[in-house]
Amino acid sequence: GVGGEGEGEGEGKGKGEGEGKGEGEAAAVDSPAPSGLLPSLEAWAAEQPRYEEELAFLRPHAGGKYPSLAPLHAAKEAWEGAADALVLARSATKLRKPPPGAAEKAEEALASVQEAAAALRAERAALDAVAELHFPELPLRIRAAGFDVSEEEIAEAFGAEGL
């Protein structure tokens, strides 16, 4: 009867029928996203903070302005100071009568050199990232200015005792 027809119409609208959509359209809305799209969006979303950080770092150089070499110079100065302190601390341990705590001071100096070398490498890597995208001649300018230190020079600072 009349009640049965009303129930059928209400049920049909609830399932996406009778709303101007064909059967294929309703199925497309209810189906999951293509299998490759969601993982790639999730991967992009996970990388987005790094992209924003990189963009903030690169933005000042977009107009052709060279990055400041002051942080690299400061990192080199810190590394040189730490390397000199390590030489002095190690030489104190080789005296006939080493002062008390000489071995501990040498270990602390070694740790300082390692930290300074890591900071120098990080600064060099940051400048290399800018150079790769904007200034291919930048590494040559850094070397010419004497602000950089090679990996061989860093390894030499640790001496025969090594890291």
Side-chain angles (χ1 to χ4, degrees):
V2 175
E5 287 176 13
E7 284 180 30
E9 287 175 10
E11 188 178 300
K13 287 185 179 180
K15 290 184 179 177
E17 294 176 8
E19 296 176 358
K21 295 181 182 175
E23 225 175 277
E25 290 175 303
V29 171
D30 294 337
S31 68
S35 63
L37 182 61
L38 198 54
S40 40
L41 284 175
E42 288 172 351
W44 181 85
E47 291 292 320
Q48 186 182 9
R50 186 178 64 84
Y51 295 147
E52 289 174 0
E53 183 179 305
E54 218 172 278
L55 179 62
F57 182 77
L58 294 174
R59 187 170 280 134
H61 313 296
K65 179 182 169 194
Y66 280 116
S68 172
L69 297 181
L72 181 64
H73 182 64
K76 181 187 178 199
E77 292 292 322
W79 175 80
E80 287 176 340
D84 289 346
L86 177 62
V87 169
L88 293 174
R90 282 184 174 167
S91 66
T93 62
K94 295 178 183 176
L95 295 173
R96 285 185 306 125
K97 293 184 181 181
E104 292 80 17
K105 287 181 182 177
E107 288 177 21
E108 291 171 8
L110 178 60
S112 294
V113 169
Q114 290 171 336
E115 289 172 14
L120 182 61
R121 286 183 183 114
E123 187 59 37
R124 185 189 311 141
L127 285 171
D128 285 347
V130 172
E132 184 179 335
L133 295 174
H134 296 290
F135 307 106
E137 72 281 7
L138 186 61
L140 296 174
R141 290 174 55 98
I142 291 170
R143 282 303 243 181
F147 291 149
D148 200 14
V149 178
S150 70
E151 286 298 316
E152 292 80 25
E153 291 171 295
I154 292 173
E156 186 178 300
F158 291 113
E161 291 88 5
L163 302 174

